[in-house]
Amino acid sequence: MNYSLLSSTMTRAAALLSLMVIACGDAGGASETASSETEPTTSDEPSTSDATEGPSTSDATEGPTTSDVPTTGTSDASTTTDEAPAAGLFVVAVGEQGSILHCDEDGCESMASPVGTELDDVVVLAADRAFAVGSAGVVLAWDGAAWTTMDAPTSANLSAVAALDEQTLFVGGSDGAMLRWDGATWTEVEHPVQGVKEQTVHEIAFAGPDFGLAVVSSFAELGQSSILRWDGASWTSEREGMDNMLSSLAVASPAVAAAGGYAPTPDEPLNLLTRDGQATWTRVEDIGERNFVTGVSFASESFGMAVTDLSFGPRPPVLALWDGATWTTQEVQDPHTAVVLVDAELGFVVGWGDDEGAFVQRWKAGELTRLPTDSSATALWGVDGIRLP
């Protein structure tokens, strides 16, 4: 699921990175990437590629194209606001000012939100079951008809939500906050950085009841990231004291997972780590020196995607594709904040801060298409979705 950074935190991160760029100049140099030097092409119409073909190797090296679909206005083909479809897709994006968008392949519409504060992460389990979290302890639940607030016993800024099963949720946020919902009761979760000031649980992901991961790190203390592991009963530290600032995470299986963020100095350009079958973590060198890896998603062990934001220096943002063995980067025009792959042929990415405000793009057969939306939000921080039976 998508990364779950608070907008104020992103602002501080941008300022920190800017200072580092000024202080370090070109000392580290731009790392070489596997991305194509060819600029993404722009089509005049949305993609009509056959989704069943999936992305090819040549597509991954050439980079996605972007069609000129307007970013405002409501698509006639969009689903009805505040009502999930009985079949097809149910994709939800959340962000600034309590924004909640319901998207399908053709467009996005705003859903009625019970809060006006920032929402940072969302998990979709079914057409009538989804949850979103945000600042000041906000937890929202979707029942198929409306979003309502849940009475979670925390005032932490929540930036992560994940489902262990149909009834059990884990949420995480600032100062090491982590809570568990069992369908009836909230309990505080013990873990290695529980209650530690300035340490934020940025993302949580599970690959079944007996395996999960969480990334924890601080913008105030760069180089103090931790990766926590869930074994079905408790959380323990899998890796701690890393010099990367980790804020994004996805888990395909116990053998395949990825965690991303940014490196604190220009001479440490490795900001995406991949877990292999031996439970070791290997840094990825080709994501780009000053690209902030903000979102990761897997459709399977052999296909995944990572997106970046806050690109500094001469290189543009990149999108990275996982083929089961390596990550291949490709340059894109827009910075992205979160991604979800519905399957190996279809995904959705969200972003922030361009002239048109926040945006949602559909990724299909190697092509990015910006979807029409009626949202006035200028930032979207999380996205998740499923294909309904």
Side-chain angles (χ1 to χ4, degrees):
M1 248 327 293
N2 18 74
Y3 83 94
S4 310
L5 293 176
L6 305 175
S7 61
S8 58
T9 304
M10 290 291 292
T11 302
R12 292 196 299 272
L16 283 169
L17 285 172
S18 298
L19 288 173
M20 288 187 284
V21 171
I22 293 171
C24 300
D26 295 326
S31 63
E32 293 298 319
T33 74
S35 61
S36 169
E37 295 300 320
T38 305
E39 290 294 326
T41 58
T42 303
S43 62
D44 292 329
E45 298 294 334
S47 170
T48 56
S49 301
D50 186 356
T52 60
E53 296 177 357
S56 67
T57 302
S58 59
D59 290 339
T61 57
E62 292 176 0
T65 58
T66 305
S67 63
D68 290 332
V69 176
T71 59
T72 58
T74 302
S75 168
D76 291 339
S78 296
T79 54
T80 305
T81 304
D82 286 359
E83 183 178 343
L89 291 173
F90 185 37
V91 176
V92 177
V94 298
E96 181 188 68
Q97 298 174 350
S99 299
I100 306 175
L101 300 180
H102 176 191
C103 305
D104 58 19
E105 285 198 49
D106 301 306
C108 303
E109 289 188 347
S110 295
M111 305 180 81
S113 175
V115 298
T117 52
E118 182 174 298
L119 297 174
D120 289 278
D121 199 12
V122 59
V123 60
V124 176
L125 304 178
D128 60 354
R129 190 165 177 79
F131 300 88
V133 297
S135 58
V138 167
V139 181
L140 304 182
W142 167 256
D143 63 4
W147 289 93
T148 57
T149 57
M150 299 179 69
D151 189 18
T154 181
S155 60
N157 293 322
L158 298 177
S159 51
V161 57
L164 182 66
D165 53 44
E166 291 186 359
Q167 292 296 321
T168 309
L169 289 181
F170 281 82
V171 302
S174 59
D175 295 335
M178 188 184 290
L179 300 173
R180 176 173 178 162
W181 170 255
D182 64 6
T185 305
W186 288 101
T187 56
E188 189 172 2
V189 177
E190 295 183 1
H191 61 90
V193 290
Q194 179 184 10
V196 177
K197 295 292 184 183
E198 302 293 344
Q199 291 289 319
T200 296
V201 180
H202 287 290
E203 199 79 84
I204 305 169
F206 294 101
D210 299 328
F211 184 83
L213 295 172
V215 290
V216 184
S217 57
S218 170
F219 281 99
E221 299 180 24
L222 300 180
Q224 296 299 314
S225 291
S226 300
I227 297 177
L228 310 180
R229 182 178 68 251
W230 169 257
D231 63 7
S234 62
W235 291 91
T236 56
S237 180
E238 176 158 298
R239 186 166 175 171
E240 57 187 4
M242 293 179 294
D243 52 4
N244 278 16
M245 207 301 293
L246 297 176
S247 60
S248 55
L249 172 72
V251 178
S253 71
V256 179
Y262 74 91
T265 61
D267 60 350
E268 294 286 347
L270 316 176
N271 51 10
L272 180 66
L273 303 101
T274 302
R275 188 181 198 272
D276 64 22
Q278 304 301 314
T280 59
W281 290 87
T282 304
R283 291 186 173 191
V284 179
E285 301 187 24
D286 59 357
I287 301 301
E289 177 182 340
R290 295 189 178 99
N291 275 312
F292 193 148
V293 179
T294 50
V296 189
S297 180
F298 286 107
S300 66
E301 290 186 337
S302 59
F303 187 74
M305 182 181 293
V307 295
T308 65
D309 189 8
L310 289 177
S311 178
F312 290 86
R315 301 197 69 85
V318 297
L319 179 150
L321 297 178
W322 168 256
D323 64 5
T326 60
W327 292 93
T328 303
T329 59
Q330 50 197 38
E331 296 179 357
V332 292
Q333 296 175 340
D334 299 304
H336 298 123
T337 54
V339 56
V340 59
L341 289 174
V342 177
D343 50 42
E345 299 160 357
L346 180 66
F348 293 82
V349 294
V350 297
W352 69 302
D354 70 357
D355 292 338
E356 301 292 339
F359 62 85
V360 179
Q361 290 177 326
R362 181 192 68 214
W363 181 88
K364 186 174 183 178
E367 180 177 293
L368 284 172
T369 301
R370 188 172 291 207
L371 298 178
T373 174
D374 63 357
S375 174
S376 60
T378 59
L380 293 172
W381 305 118
V383 62
D384 195 36
I386 59 173
R387 192 181 293 280
L388 300 174

